[in-house]
Amino acid sequence: MPDYRAPLKDMQFVLHDFLSISDQDIPGYSDLDRDFTAGVLEAAGRLASDVLAPLNAVGDTQGCRIENGVVRTPDGFKEAFDRIRDDGWTAIDCAEEWGGQGLPYIMHTAANEPMVSANMALNMYQGLTHGAYSALAIHGTDAQKALYLPKLASCEWTGTMNLTEPHCGTDLGLMRTKAEPQGDGSYAITGQKIFISSGDHDMADNIVHLVLAKIPGGPEGTKGISLFVVPKILPTEDGGLGDRNPLSCGKLEEKMGIHGNATCVMNFDGAKGWLVGEEHKGMRAMFTMMNEARLGVGMQGWATAEAAYQAALAYAQDRLQGRDVTGAKAPESPADPIIVHPDIRRALMDQKSFLEGARALTYWGAMLLDRGHRKGDAEAEALVSLLIPVIKGFLTDKGFEGAVQAQQVYGGHGYIEEHGMSQFARDARIAMIYEGANGIQALDLVGRKLALHGGKPLMGLMERIKAVATAPEEDEAFRKTILDPLKSASKDLQSAAMLFMQQGMKTPNVALAGSYDFMHLMGHVLLGYSWAQMAHAARRALAEGRDVTFHETKLATARYYMARQLPATKMHLTRIESGAEPVMALEAANF
Amino acid sequence: MPDYRAPLKDMQFVLHDFLSISDQDIPGYSDLDRDFTAGVLEAAGRLASDVLAPLNAVGDTQGCRIENGVVRTPDGFKEAFDRIRDDGWTAIDCAEEWGGQGLPYIMHTAANEPMVSANMALNMYQGLTHGAYSALAIHGTDAQKALYLPKLASCEWTGTMNLTEPHCGTDLGLMRTKAEPQGDGSYAITGQKIFISSGDHDMADNIVHLVLAKIPGGPEGTKGISLFVVPKILPTEDGGLGDRNPLSCGKLEEKMGIHGNATCVMNFDGAKGWLVGEEHKGMRAMFTMMNEARLGVGMQGWATAEAAYQAALAYAQDRLQGRDVTGAKAPESPADPIIVHPDIRRALMDQKSFLEGARALTYWGAMLLDRGHRKGDAEAEALVSLLIPVIKGFLTDKGFEGAVQAQQVYGGHGYIEEHGMSQFARDARIAMIYEGANGIQALDLVGRKLALHGGKPLMGLMERIKAVATAPEEDEAFRKTILDPLKSASKDLQSAAMLFMQQGMKTPNVALAGSYDFMHLMGHVLLGYSWAQMAHAARRALAEGRDVTFHETKLATARYYMARQLPATKMHLTRIESGAEPVMALEAANF
C-alpha cells in the first residue's frame, strides 16, 4: 500500500507565503502564525499517515454491509473515527459555544486536506456532519441549535443531506417526498431518498438527517421545498435517546469507489421531522451551505490525487526499467529508475503543478469564505461564489485525471487492486458527480455567477489577474516564463466572457454549449494566477535565503504550469468560439 | 443494464463509403460487397446483443475464481464461448488450410467490434488465441503448425502471451525466466510470469502458452530472449491430450475491471516447451504480431466506449430533468429529457464524433495490414507501422475519456454499479496500459516510427492529408468547416515533426518530453483526416439521394469534430514547443 505523508511544507507555503494569512485583517487570523499552523497540520498529518491511510484499502476491500438491519462499517473505521473525534478534528471551526475551537474555516480546510488524502471515504462521515452543523447553525431555531449543534460538532451524532430521489437529482422541483404537518409542530416525512452518503452506520449514537421535502398544498417546483431535521433516533426532552424514528436504510449501493462510505437508499415512513428555517424556503437553506460543501468536494478531487501522486512518485523513483537516453543514471543497477524518462517526468510534473495550484486556489477560496463570514465582506463573498463552481468542477475533473495519470505511472501494477492506485482513481471519480455534477457547475458558472451583481465579481477578478500579469517586472526571464503566459491566458478568459455577454441574451445556447469549456478555461487561468503569485512568493523567500531547493522547485513548477498546462486556454476559447451550432446541429432523434 | 446494438450502418459506411473495400486491389477484397459484409456484421451484432452483452455485468460481478486448483469463469461464459466458437467467429481470417475462413483481416476486425463492445473480458479469450495463432503461423515449424493451428483457429485450445515478470514489464531485457535445453529438442521452462490474460480457465481443453524466456549462456538483455510454445497439457503423438505440464496459475489478480477475464500469475516449474522461431530471436517474433495486437487493443478502447455511449444516449433521451432553456420540448411531461441541454449534447457529440472517427481510423489500419500481408505492399506496411502507436495510444486514451464522459451523463446513477456505466470505464482503463502502456506507444512513435525508412512513411502520410485538405473545393462552407481546419491541424503536425527532426539528434529529450503530446496531436490529425474523407463520402451519398438523414448526420458530426476536437492540435504543439526544459527542470530528488 502506498504511504502518505502530508505535504506540510507545501501547505505552509500556501498559508503563509502565498496567502500571508497571519497578516490578513480577518477576525481570528492574527493568531494563525507559522508555528501555530505547523502544530495543527503536523498533528493532522500524523493522524492521516498513522491511523487513516492504513485503513483506506481496508475500507475499499470490505466496504459497508447490512447485518441484521444494522449498517456495519469496515474494520477499524469505528476506532479511527473515535480518534478523529477525540482529538477534536471535527469541530475546528465550530463555535466555541457548541464545543468547537472557533478557528477560521481555512484551518478546517487545511487540517482536512491530509485526512481526505489518506481516507476520503472515512472522512466523509465527518464532512457530511459538518454540513449538517452549518445548516442548523444558520437556519435552526435556538432549541434546535442547543439540541443538535454540540452533538454534531463533536460527531457524537453524525449528519446527512437527503436531496436526491430516484427520478430527480439536479431538478429538485420534481421531488415527491412529502412532509405533513402533525399539528404539534412536527411533520410526518414520507418518501424515498437515494445516494445518501453516510446515511446509516455503526459509528455514532444517532444520525441527524437533513431532508428536503414538500409540504402538501405548497407552491409547485423548487419553490415548494422545505428543509427538515429528521433524527434516526428521536431525542428525549433531556437530550437523551428515545424511540427509533420510522426511517431506515433500505439498501446500500454498490459503487465504483468510496466503498468505506455507506451510500444508502433511505426510506422515510412517516418519520417525525421538524422544519428548519422557513416553510418552502428549503432550497435557500441548502444554498447557504453550498459554497462550503462544494469547496470541500473540490478538495476531495485533488486531495485524493495528491495521495495518488505521492505513490506514483515513490514508484517512479524505485522502479527500475530502461535507461536514461542521455546516459545511465544508475549504472550500478540493471536499469535506471523510471523517473529518468522524460514522459514519466511529464506525467509527474502535470500532477505536481496541478496539485500545488489546486491547493493554492482552494485555500484562497477558504480564506475568502472567512473574509465573507467573519468580516462581512460582501465583495469577498461575491468573489468566492464566482470561484466555487470552478473549484468544484475544474479541480475534480483534473483531480481525477491526475489520479488516472498516477495509476498509469504504475503500468500494469496500477490496474490491479493490490497497489491501491485503482482505488484512488475510483474514489476520485465521485467528486466529479456529487454535490452538483460538473456540468451543473459549469451551468451555474455561466448561467448565474458570471452575471452576478452585474458581472462585478468577474470584472474584479479580471482586474486582480491583470494587476499581477502586467505589473512592472525587471527580471526578463520571470516576465517571459511566468507573467506573459498568464497575461495571454487571461485575455482568452476575457474574450470568452465577452462573447457570452454579447451573445448571451440573443442565443443563450452559445454560453450553455461553451459552459464546460469556460469552466476549464477559467480554472486554468485561476491556477495560472495562483502560480504567478506563488512564483513571486518563492522569489521573495529565495531573496531571504530561505530553503533554496524548495523554493527553486516552486519556481520551476510554476514555469511548468505556464508552459505546459496554461496553453489549454486557447483550445477552450476556440471551442467556445465555435458557438452553439456544432453542438446543437442534430435533432435528438438523429444521434 | 444498458442495451447494445451493433452500429451496422456506421460500420458499413466506413467499409464501403469511406474505404470502398470491394474496389480495393487487395486479394480477397473483391468479394466483400455490401451484402456480404452486411450479412457477416448483422450476425456478429446479433451474437453480441443477444448472447455476449447480457453476460457483461455477470462477468464483472462474479469475476473468475480458483476452485480446487481450477480457474472458473463466470456463469454463462462457457456456453457463450461455445457459441462464438461454433458459429465460426474465431477463425474469420485464419487460413482455410487450418480450418479458417480465409477472409481478410479487416473482416476479422469489423466482426470483432460488436463482440468487444458487448463483452470485452469474454472476447479477450479469443483475442489472445488469435495472437498465438498468428505467432505460430508465422514462426512455427511445420509440425508446430499442424499440431496447434487447427486447435487455435477453432479455439478448441486457447492461447496466451507470457512476457511480463514482476520486476520487468517494458524492459524485457531484465527477464529471468529461463529455458534449459533438454537434449531432445525440448526446453525446461522455469520462472514466474505475471498479468497473463486468459492464463487459465475452464472453457477450453488445453491452453497454449507462448512464453518469452532466456536460454542460459545466450546474449545479455533483449538479444538473448527466445520464444517458446508451452502447452498446459502435453499433446500426445496423435494430437490428443497427454500429461499435465508442470505449470500452473498461482494466483488470480484482483483488478479494476475486465473481471471476466482471468489475469493469472503463471508459475513455470520446469515446464516442457519448444522453441518457436530462432534461438534468441524471440523479440523479433513478438514484434511481428505486435501491429495486429495493438490495433486490437486500440479497438478495445473505443469499442467499449461505443457501448457506453449507446447507454448514455439512451439515458439522455429518457431521463427527464429540467427544461430546454429555449422552450419546453416535452411540455406534456414534468420535465424535458436531458438531451435538450447543450452541455449534455456537447458530451454526446464529443463521444459520437470521436467514436466514428476512431472506427474509420482503425478499419483503415486493418485494410493497410491486409494490403501489406496479402499484397506485399511495403509502403502500406510502413504506413500502418507509423499509425499503430497512435491507434493504440490515442484511441485508448480517448476511449477511456469517452467512457468516463458517458458515465458522467448518468450523474449519480453512473457511479453505482447497477447501471453498468462504471464497468465500461473500469474495463476501458486497461487498454491504456497493456500491450505497451501508452507512454511506450508515444516513445515508439517519436523514437522509432517517425524516422522509419528515413521518414518516408510520415512524409507520405502528410502528402495524403495535404491532398485532401487542399483539394479544389467549390462548396465554400464545406471548405471552411471541413477542409480548412484539417489544413491548419496538419500544419501543426508538420511543425512538431520538423522540430523533432531539427532538435532530435542534439537533444533527444525534446522529442521524448513531447512524445505524448505528439501522439495526441497526430491522433487528432488522423481523425480529422478520416472525418474529411467521411464528409466527402457522405456528400457523395447525399448527391445520390441515399439515406439523407444518416448522411447529413455524418456531415454535421464531421463539422463538430473539426470545430471542437481538432483545435486540440494547437495546444499539443505549444506544449511540444516548450521543449524539454520545463519537463526535466527538477532533480529527481527534488520532487
Side-chain angles (χ1 to χ4, degrees), chain B residues 39-326:
Chain B
V40 172
L41 299 180
E42 267 167 38
R46 261 198 312 277
L47 179 75
S49 297
D50 298 348
V51 179
L52 309 185
L55 291 173
N56 199 36
V58 176
D60 187 57
T61 311
Q62 294 188 2
C64 297
R65 59 208 179 281
I66 303 188
E67 279 175 14
N68 303 321
V70 178
V71 176
R72 297 286 176 202
T73 50
D75 291 348
F77 267 42
K78 195 169 181 338
E79 293 74 18
F81 196 60
D82 283 342
R83 268 293 296 279
I84 294 174
R85 202 160 22 204
D86 295 347
D87 291 0
W89 294 111
T90 62
I92 295 172
D93 64 329
C94 296
E96 290 173 269
E97 181 182 6
W98 309 119
Q101 284 120 72
L103 286 168
Y105 178 69
I106 196 169
M107 286 310 296
H108 164 85
T109 301
N112 254 265
E113 183 197 320
M115 296 191 254
V116 175
S117 289
N119 199 322
M120 176 173 158
L122 174 53
N123 202 64
M124 287 173 66
Y125 293 96
Q126 65 154 319
L128 272 299
T129 307
H130 195 269
Y133 172 96
S134 299
L136 287 168
I138 300 168
H139 301 284
T141 62
D142 287 346
Q144 285 170 346
K145 288 184 195 176
L147 173 59
Y148 292 110
L149 294 187
K151 304 283 195 190
L152 291 171
S154 66
C155 275
E156 192 179 331
W157 297 358
T158 63
T160 74
M161 302 288 159
N162 288 249
L163 284 73
T164 306
E165 299 181 7
H167 61 288
C168 94
T170 298
D171 190 354
L172 290 172
L174 304 174
M175 186 173 291
R176 289 181 196 147
T177 298
K178 61 174 195 267
E180 289 168 305
Q182 300 298 294
D184 62 351
S186 77
Y187 291 76
I189 313 288
T190 305
Q192 188 177 68
K193 295 287 183 177
I194 62 169
F195 304 155
I196 308 309
S197 299
S198 318
D200 201 3
H201 59 85
D202 55 0
M203 304 195 298
D205 297 335
N206 199 3
I207 298 176
V208 180
H209 299 287
L210 291 184
V211 183
L212 289 181
K214 287 188 166 178
I215 300 170
E220 289 287 299
T222 54
K223 293 200 174 73
I225 293 174
S226 306
L227 180 66
F228 299 88
V229 57
V230 189
K232 174 180 170 181
I233 299 171
L234 293 166
T236 55
E237 291 285 311
D238 60 356
L241 295 173
D243 293 336
R244 184 71 196 253
N245 208 353
L247 61 90
S248 60
C249 166
K251 182 188 168 195
L252 288 176
E253 301 288 2
E254 297 286 337
K255 309 184 299 292
M256 185 178 188
I258 51 166
H259 295 160
N261 195 273
T263 305
C264 300
V265 172
M266 293 301 303
N267 296 317
F268 295 88
D269 305 306
K272 203 182 262 291
W274 291 269
L275 190 66
V276 178
E278 293 175 54
E279 264 193 5
H280 312 316
K281 297 286 162 65
M283 291 301 283
R284 208 167 60 186
M286 293 309 289
F287 269 108
T288 55
M289 318 178 309
M290 208 167 265
N291 279 344
E292 286 189 16
R294 290 183 170 177
L295 185 135
V297 172
M299 187 163 78
Q300 286 182 331
W302 63 259
T304 302
E306 162 74 32
Y309 164 71
Q310 291 189 16
L313 175 60
Y315 188 80
Q317 283 170 329
D318 184 59
R319 171 84 171 171
L320 304 178
Q321 211 78 172
R323 285 289 180 199
D324 187 332
V325 72
T326 64

Side-chain angles (χ1 to χ4, degrees), chain B residues 503-569:
Chain B
Q503 307 214 358
M505 302 307 267
K506 274 204 317 270
T507 46
N509 276 352
V510 170
L512 296 178
S515 60
Y516 213 89
D517 283 285
F518 189 87
M519 180 172 77
H520 274 248
L521 199 174
M522 185 162 158
H524 278 295
V525 171
L526 286 170
L527 257 54
Y529 173 54
S530 302
W531 267 120
Q533 294 171 86
M534 288 198 284
H536 274 298
R539 198 166 53 166
R540 282 194 302 273
L542 286 171
E544 295 162 13
R546 286 195 280 129
D547 204 343
V548 174
T549 303
F550 177 79
H551 292 104
E552 278 181 348
T553 298
K554 280 279 174 239
L555 273 171
T557 310
R559 285 193 296 269
Y560 184 90
Y561 195 86
M562 300 301 184
R564 299 193 56 112
Q565 291 294 323
L566 205 52
T569 57

